[in-house]
Amino acid sequence: MRTVYVNGDYLPETEAKVSIFDRGFLMADGVYEVTSVLDGKLIDFDGHAVRLQRSLDELDMANPISKEDLLEVHRELVRLNGIEEGMIYLQITRGAPSDRDFAFPDPETPQTIVLFTQNKPGLADNPAAKKGMKVISIEDIRWGRRDIKTVQLLYPSMGKMMAKKAGVDDAWMVQDGFVTEGTSNNAYIVKGNKIITREASPDILKGITRTAVLRFAQEAQMEVEERNFTIEEAREADEAFITSASTFVMPVVEIDGVALGDGTPGHVAPRLREIYLDESRKAAV
Ligand code: PDD
């Protein structure tokens, strides 16, 4: 049975409890992070900790844990659960006041902090990366602060179900004709040696994997262009891919039923995946 972390305690998952008045549960008033684990070590812990602090600041929410303690909890959960490859999920909410109220509770209200592991052996060697994934496009009807990593994930969940229903792997969301991102990942297209991805703004979550991959791409002399692209441009691209903490770099081989190139992962995405995995393993903590 998994050992999870709740408000300072390490507990068996069946004994971990959160109040029914928790604002994460009632109002989606919470933020989260997902950090991947390779070789039993944390990938880009620092990046996730910095973004967590930013999400909290943007929502005027306090941070109940120091960065040092947070690292310690991550490591302890990896150790207690024997995780070699997988993810660690972290969620912080504004806590559980004594009743439901739209107004934020007294800042003295203890916050809720929960972490748990997800064991995913074979995450790095995922066969899906060799085949590539298929996506459909859907309208992006989420709220306007997607740069904050909140737990309001209903529309992304619905998007994932639309993709499933269409017999594909994921959905790319489109706003005013331009691709924003995937349901839980950043979206890229490739033209020749050029990697194109939407620039960071409140319209998308600025992925920690995105930041790393764009840096590695530039170091490998690939050209990076941060700009909007339409779904039509994407369908005509040489290649496409996504990035996230749980998929790293994953080629996209079909958009709305249209195969990209010859319908197999091209050269750029698989190469970036390899570089990302190599470099991330080296820098893991
Ligand atoms: N999702 N965009 C969205 C909407 C996301 O939910 C995510 C991450 C990303 C990529 O961010 P990063 O590279 O920091 O993982 C972009 C996580 C993995 C999830 O919800 O499980």
Side-chain angles (χ1 to χ4, degrees), residues 20-93:
I20 63 158
F21 296 114
D22 195 277
R23 287 182 60 90
F25 177 61
L26 295 179
M27 308 270 179
D29 188 0
V31 300
Y32 77 108
E33 281 296 332
V34 176
T35 304
S36 49
V37 178
L38 290 176
D39 314 319
K41 288 182 173 172
L42 304 165
I43 303 302
D44 223 332
F45 173 81
D46 242 54
H48 289 283
V50 168
R51 186 173 63 190
L52 172 68
Q53 185 61 56
R54 181 181 182 278
S55 293
L56 292 166
D57 290 345
E58 292 296 315
L59 296 175
D60 216 3
M61 214 186 280
N63 190 345
I65 189 162
S66 71
K67 195 166 150 188
E68 294 70 34
D69 288 349
L70 193 60
L71 176 59
E72 189 47 43
V73 175
H74 276 75
R75 284 180 163 159
E76 187 63 5
L77 283 179
V78 166
R79 193 184 67 79
L80 289 169
N81 293 288
I83 308 293
E84 275 300 307
E85 285 192 12
M87 283 99 73
I88 303 188
Y89 178 85
L90 149 77
Q91 180 170 333
I92 294 175
T93 79

Side-chain angles (χ1 to χ4, degrees), residues 6-285:
V6 187
N7 301 327
D9 296 321
Y10 293 93
L11 297 168
E13 61 185 43
T14 48
E15 282 171 34
K17 292 193 170 50
V18 173
S19 163
I20 63 158
F21 296 114
D22 195 277
R23 287 182 60 90
F25 177 61
L26 295 179
M27 308 270 179
D29 188 0
V31 300
Y32 77 108
E33 281 296 332
V34 176
T35 304
S36 49
V37 178
L38 290 176
D39 314 319
K41 288 182 173 172
L42 304 165
I43 303 302
D44 223 332
F45 173 81
D46 242 54
H48 289 283
V50 168
R51 186 173 63 190
L52 172 68
Q53 185 61 56
R54 181 181 182 278
S55 293
L56 292 166
D57 290 345
E58 292 296 315
L59 296 175
D60 216 3
M61 214 186 280
N63 190 345
I65 189 162
S66 71
K67 195 166 150 188
E68 294 70 34
D69 288 349
L70 193 60
L71 176 59
E72 189 47 43
V73 175
H74 276 75
R75 284 180 163 159
E76 187 63 5
L77 283 179
V78 166
R79 193 184 67 79
L80 289 169
N81 293 288
I83 308 293
E84 275 300 307
E85 285 192 12
M87 283 99 73
I88 303 188
Y89 178 85
L90 149 77
Q91 180 170 333
I92 294 175
T93 79
R94 211 179 298 270
S98 53
D99 199 359
R100 179 175 180 267
D101 190 345
F102 278 77
F104 290 173
D106 188 303
E108 298 302 305
T109 308
Q111 288 175 265
T112 304
I113 173 165
V114 167
L115 285 94
F116 58 82
T117 52
Q118 292 185 287
N119 192 26
K120 303 268 180 195
L123 191 64
D125 211 14
N126 192 345
K130 303 225 162 43
K131 221 170 98 216
M133 53 186 271
K134 299 177 179 179
V135 302
I136 51 166
S137 59
I138 61 171
E139 204 189 326
D140 196 339
I141 60 165
R142 295 173 300 161
W143 79 324
R145 290 305 305 276
R146 304 157 193 158
D147 55 317
I148 310 173
K149 201 163 171 60
T150 74
V151 296
Q152 307 176 72
L153 297 177
L154 182 54
Y155 188 66
S157 284
M158 290 168 72
K160 195 81 185 175
M161 294 313 293
M162 290 181 229
K164 272 195 170 199
K165 213 170 155 196
V168 300
D169 306 293
D170 199 17
W172 278 15
M173 295 179 278
V174 177
Q175 169 179 291
D176 301 328
F178 296 104
V179 174
T180 52
E181 55 190 337
T183 58
S184 58
N185 46 70
N186 291 118
Y188 308 73
I189 57 172
V190 179
K191 288 180 146 189
N193 193 35
K194 193 189 293 169
I195 296 160
I196 301 160
T197 194
R198 194 181 178 105
E199 68 176 355
S201 78
D203 294 339
I204 62 164
L205 183 76
K206 189 178 176 190
I208 302 306
T209 321
R210 175 188 184 278
T211 301
V213 164
L214 293 185
R215 191 177 75 240
F216 298 143
Q218 271 156 341
E219 284 169 9
Q221 315 304 328
M222 296 177 195
E223 205 183 321
V224 173
E225 209 172 283
E226 291 181 63
R227 65 158 171 90
N228 284 355
F229 59 89
T230 63
I231 200 75
E232 290 73 25
E233 188 181 5
R235 288 188 206 119
E236 285 164 16
D238 297 327
E239 282 184 44
F241 63 93
I242 59 158
T243 65
S244 77
S246 49
T247 59
F248 310 120
V249 178
M250 187 65 71
V252 169
V253 294
E254 187 189 294
I255 302 175
D256 290 331
V258 179
L260 303 188
D262 64 1
T264 64
H267 302 289
V268 174
R271 174 139 178 261
L272 275 176
R273 181 181 176 89
E274 202 180 301
I275 299 173
Y276 177 78
L277 287 171
D278 282 354
E279 295 298 322
S280 301
R281 283 183 198 276
K282 276 190 233 160
V285 296

